[in-house]
Amino acid sequence: MALKKVKGNFERMFDKNLTDLVRGIRNNKDNESKYIAQCMEEIKVELRQDNIAVKANAVAKLTYLQMLGYDISWAIFNIIEVMSSNKFTYKRIGYLAASQSFHADSELLMLTTNMIRKDLNAQNQYEAGLALSGLSCFISHDLARDLANDIMTLMSSTKPYLRMKAVLMMYKVFLRYPEALRPAFPKLKEKLEDPDPGVQSAAVNVVCELARKNPKNYLSLAPVFFKLMTTSTNNWMLIKIIKLFGALTPLEPRLGKKLIEPLTNLIHSTSAMSLLYECINTVIAVLISISSGMPGHAASVQLCVQKLRILIEDSDQNLKYLGLLAMSRILKSHPKSVQAHKDLVLACLDDKDESIRLRALGLLYGMVSKKNLMEIVKKLMVHMDRAEGTLYRDELLTRIIEICSQNNYQHVVDFEWYVTVLAELTEMETSAKHGRMVAAQVTEVGARVAEVREFAARECGAMVARAAAAPPGPASKEVLYAAAYVLAEYCREESVMRESVSGLLACAGTGGGAMRARAVCVHAALKLCAHLLRNYEARNDKDAAINIIREALAGLRPLLCSEDMEVQERAHNATALLSLVLRRLSPDDAALTGTAPPSGPLPDAILVEHDQSNGVEKEEPVEDVNGESSVQSFSGGLIEELVDLFDGELKPVAPKAQKKVPMPSDLNLDQWLSHSRWSSDSSSSEGEAEAAVFAPPPKDARPTAQFTPEELAMLREARRQEQANNPHYLKDDSPRSYQQDDVPIAEIALEVPLQVHTKRSDKYLISRESSSKKKKEKRTSKKRKSKKDKPSSDSDSEEEVHVARPAVAEGGELPEGAAPSDDEPAAPPDDPHRALDLDLDQPLREEELLSSRIHHYPSPESGLLEKKPKSKKTKSADKSSGDKPTKKRKEKKTKQKTVNLMLPEVAKEVDEALLIEDLSTTNGKKPTKDNDVADNDAFLVEPHTKDTKTEKHKKSKKESKEKESKRNKSTKKGKHEKKTGYEEALGISTPSKEVI
Amino acid sequence: MIKAILVFNNHGKPRLSKFYQYFNEDMQQQIIKETFQLVSKRDDNVCNFLEGGSLIGGSDYKLIYRHYATLYFVFCVDSSESELGILDLIQVFVETLDKCFENVCELDLIFHADAAHQVLDELVMGGMVLQTNMADILCRLQEQNKMQKAEAGISAAPARAVSAVKSMNLPQQLRDMKLPDLPQAIKDLKF
């Protein structure tokens, strides 16, 4: 035997140990993977050996390789072998490997249950500690269920080291096995007042983690924590407690009021920055939760802001960062107090640290006002130019849009300026994602702000021209989508329209497959053509009309065979419509023959014929309706019809409108739509039915030709109505009005800037600063108008400078009767903490008690260990239920134990009076000493009286009797359960018999 | 909760990694890589907090790190941890390592990652802070090492001797001596 050992040692000496492995890897830098593969082979050989030392060495090497990213899950069995060694040295290696590579779903974890239980109950505290540390990394549901009792036992170990680890471990158990929470909670609560500060801190830690996700269940612990907070000097624990209070105050405002004073004291007294910071954070949480009406409320806000200012001004970047972070929390509830420190925040924008700049940016949201918006945005634009990191740049862009668009453009006075800013942001060419953001803004401003439409359309025209001239970047491509729409929808300026048609068509031809704007460009071009044609028709300028159609057709021609399906389809549509008009204007135009694609099987003749017939049909009623005008028109009403295609305004729709469309009461989706037809068909012969499918519809199925003007008007109205109810259409509340003569037209900002470094948007800032006189005039006129339009738009009356801003359409269309506010709660994420949302104040039910698994895994040591803590548990329950002086409690500790040990001897269901009788008889039978008997009697009475005492105590506390009686019942019941639980545990070892 | 503790050098080579939330090995390497890229870009005179990593835990996730000479110590934590508290914790961790290794340097961590793990296990357990008092931690570690030494006893002496020899920078020839035959000779001995 000894020889074998020596031999093993000798052999081992020349195996590669961990140091050799590391050295080898360092020496083989060039072919590291090859070397490691070779080592892996060696390790596999070593693992096959019987010698545990060799195995442990191999596992240690595997642990190192795991860190380098090699999968070692194949060695799980060997790791378990090493873990189960008797030697602490090997155990350490095994548990380290396990904690690094095992996880809750590992196979074979079931094998470890008994071994870990043995380790948990080991004599040496470090072995148990090692097992706890390891287990915390890979505990699974099954392990948690089977070991919960053992870990709970360790919570009352005599060694603080183990108590501490066991308490922390319980949190992991709760996560995996939520059923353990309620039975273990009383004990956890007890540990909050453990004599050892480490255990206390661990318990605080666990409760904090639990309460963070389900704070309402832990409100009852607030008094305990309050006491801890005012007495403890352990900063680490104080931070945790204060953080916990921050989570609890939103639920209980009274708690907040009580907290303010001690927290303020701490803020004044502490020298630890970490504690100071957390105090401020919690005070902020309190202030948010009570909002106002508390004495000293304003003073507290002031104190926080002042302290934060000191943090932000500190040279330590960490404090600066945290100061800004806390500021942003105050900002939400007390923007005024933060705005006072605008200078500080703006200064932080120039900080060299990106984290700090990002934080300062977040704060800007609440800093802007009508007065300083332009200034701040200008500063941000300068940063945009300088920013190198894309992260910061993207954040800047997001923030610019956010602060401008917040609260329905509350702070934007001059929308022309804002549109220019958007155009400049587009020119900076960020990513496609941010291009989409800009695009959404362009559309939204166009839809919501009627006054700026002309200008926006002009700006969009320029954008389109730029995109047509040079291939657009990723952001421009996205913005083009919106630009084409805004341009075509709102442009009424003939020169811009005229120029843009070919630009749009050029854009549709470029940009590659990923550009979603292309089809929109085709459509926009057609729209512009239609509007232009109407203008020309009104002026009776036939040549110009023919020219524009020719130009458009020429532009459309390459698109007819575009690789993009939608572009192709829309190009065909547009070509057909335009050639129809052209045919009417000059029947034998050269451009007409060219419309058909060269290779075209496109049935040119058919298309035209068909359209013409349609046109004729439509034409007659139109002429009837407005007789004189159509006589003048050179197209015979065709252009009017074309324009009608694009009639109606697109309005913003509320995000949830689709969901809120009410179901018509007469709609029955389960009913067959044409039941009668099918039944009649089935009666007729099969051949007939088949023929009916392919037969042309009967002539009278197309009643369009017979429409009278009234009917047509009715239909048109019906269509409008339908559009109004259709959530797919963008709508606005105000009626469409293109002919707004009171639109203040500023100078066109299309010219190329003379100075390279000034932004186009800057001129708005400059002009605003310089020409205040001019503004005054405008303001008066605008003011009147805005008041008339939207009286509530300028609610911010405290603003010193009253600058009128154009009316902004708010909200979006919703079906009648639907309110935008009633939104559905977001689906909660899949979170283990959800299972831990349990009511902890309810007494335990019998089936909830953690059944000790010892029945299934009989082992003498664990059984013995089980007995002691169980009795302690009962004791602890007593302790927590009644607030007795500690002296008495101590006294009882020992007594209670013996009583409890006896209890199981007696029948479970008997009440306490019976219990006394019963025991006295047994005592009488047994030849015990007199004083012993007396002692026993005394104990037996004691719990009874104690119970009544606690009840009394509770009575004074509780307000309603009903509640109280319920409580009593439940405490009794709880006690009873404890007894049974205890007996269950005692079933294995029978010490009670020995006592008697 | 602390989600992960990573130690890597200025080139991103992992020296110690501990994940308190399960990730497979590939993911772990990816997290280390991403974290290194985030952290290494930063100057030494900027703040020690970082947001924006996307791999662990989504939005409720922050990196708190310190840079010592050639090593980065990075703690990935969620919002229940105090930022400054964690910074102090890193300091305690490093000081404890310093005491254990006597002037700790990267090489100590390279060759004794297991010892570093043992230090860490006394500091943090399952993602929660266990002990912040350095004297206590050192005392616990010493007691455990004493146990290990007692176990090894005399039987470990030869192994220690050999590893001492190996650790000396002997010329290659000497190391190539046919020492491995020795056990065979012993095996052949007849008692």
Side-chain angles (χ1 to χ4, degrees), chain A residues 875 878-879 882-896 942 945-947 949-950:
Chain A
K875 191 176 63 197
D878 283 344
K879 214 198 281 177
D883 276 343
K884 296 221 137 200
T886 42
K887 207 178 169 188
K888 232 177 191 172
R889 203 192 293 157
K890 256 185 192 168
E891 198 181 284
K892 227 162 274 165
K893 263 186 192 174
T894 46
K895 290 177 185 174
Q896 197 92 32
E942 187 90 352
T945 53
K946 192 195 160 189
D947 245 18
K949 261 186 203 168
T950 49

Side-chain angles (χ1 to χ4, degrees), chain A residues 492-546:
Chain A
R492 293 294 163 265
E493 216 169 316
E494 212 173 290
S495 59
V496 178
M497 290 203 270
R498 185 75 185 79
E499 280 160 25
S500 299
V501 169
S502 55
L504 279 170
L505 291 172
C507 282
T510 58
M515 199 161 103
R516 59 179 188 144
R518 295 172 63 186
V520 179
C521 284
V522 179
H523 190 68
L526 179 62
K527 218 190 253 186
L528 284 182
C529 279
H531 289 308
L532 278 172
L533 283 174
R534 187 179 53 188
N535 285 2
Y536 295 144
E537 194 180 36
R539 283 207 309 266
N540 214 355
D541 189 351
K542 199 167 176 175
D543 289 343
I546 293 173

Side-chain angles (χ1 to χ4, degrees), chain A residues 3 7 9-15 17-20 22-23 26 32 64 66-72 86-89 92 96 99-103 124-126 132-133 136-137 161 164-165 168-169 171-172 205-206 209 212 236 239-240 243 273-274 277-278 317-319 321-322 325 352-353 355 359, chain B residues 1 13-18 20 22 25-26 28-29 42 45-51 60 62 78-89 107 110-111 113-114 117-118 121-122 125-126 128-132 140-141 143-145 147-148 151 155 158-159 162-163 166-167 179 182-183 186-187 191:
Chain A
L3 180 68
K7 195 188 83 190
N9 272 332
F10 267 115
E11 272 173 1
R12 189 165 58 113
M13 291 190 315
F14 303 101
D15 283 337
N17 64 14
L18 179 58
T19 315
D20 297 328
V22 177
R23 197 173 286 146
R26 284 164 70 80
E32 196 181 290
Y64 184 81
Q66 193 272 344
M67 185 180 73
L68 299 182
Y70 290 86
D71 178 29
I72 62 164
N86 287 325
K87 282 201 176 181
F88 184 66
T89 318
R92 242 181 163 181
L96 175 60
S99 71
Q100 293 294 90
S101 64
F102 289 11
H103 55 97
N124 191 310
Q125 61 168 332
Y126 292 112
L132 283 173
S133 290
S136 71
C137 293
Y161 180 70
M164 192 160 73
K165 283 200 163 188
L168 288 185
M169 189 64 219
Y171 176 64
K172 292 277 171 177
N205 211 335
V206 171
E209 286 293 338
R212 204 161 66 89
W236 186 263
I239 288 174
K240 282 277 169 191
K243 263 188 173 288
M273 277 301 181
S274 47
Y277 173 67
E278 294 304 337
Q317 296 287 76
N318 291 332
L319 298 182
Y321 171 85
L322 293 176
L325 194 64
K352 58 187 179 299
D353 188 348
S355 298
R359 280 288 143 215
Chain B
M1 276 269 282
K13 282 242 176 217
R15 294 305 179 210
L16 180 90
S17 68
K18 186 100 194 167
Y20 295 105
Y22 174 71
E25 275 77 11
D26 290 340
Q28 289 186 0
Q29 293 303 309
R42 297 171 62 84
N45 54 359
V46 300
C47 76
N48 298 92
F49 316 117
L50 235 175
E51 291 155 85
D60 183 15
K62 198 173 272 181
D78 66 15
S79 62
S80 75
E81 299 297 337
S82 144
E83 290 90 345
L84 293 171
I86 294 289
L87 271 187
D88 285 348
L89 189 70
L107 275 178
I110 294 171
F111 285 104
D114 49 346
H117 269 293
Q118 285 158 12
D121 277 349
E122 295 304 319
M125 189 185 124
M128 283 170 291
V129 179
L130 184 67
Q131 179 64 272
T132 49
R140 303 283 178 208
L141 284 169
E143 278 178 43
Q144 292 180 57
N145 289 337
M147 275 171 67
Q148 227 170 309
E151 264 176 7
S155 64
V162 170
S163 68
K166 278 197 235 174
S167 300
L179 278 175
L182 202 57
I186 292 170
K187 213 186 274 178
F191 287 99

Side-chain angles (χ1 to χ4, degrees), chain A residues 772-786:
Chain A
S772 59
K773 201 175 106 193
K774 198 180 150 199
K775 280 252 160 174
K776 261 180 198 161
E777 285 174 16
K778 251 191 186 175
R779 207 187 299 157
T780 46
S781 66
K782 265 190 182 177
K783 216 179 190 174
R784 227 179 294 131
K785 203 188 137 281
S786 71

Side-chain angles (χ1 to χ4, degrees), chain A residues 260 268 291 436 493 944:
Chain A
I260 286 284
H268 283 302
S291 67
R436 233 165 285 155
E493 216 169 316
H944 192 73

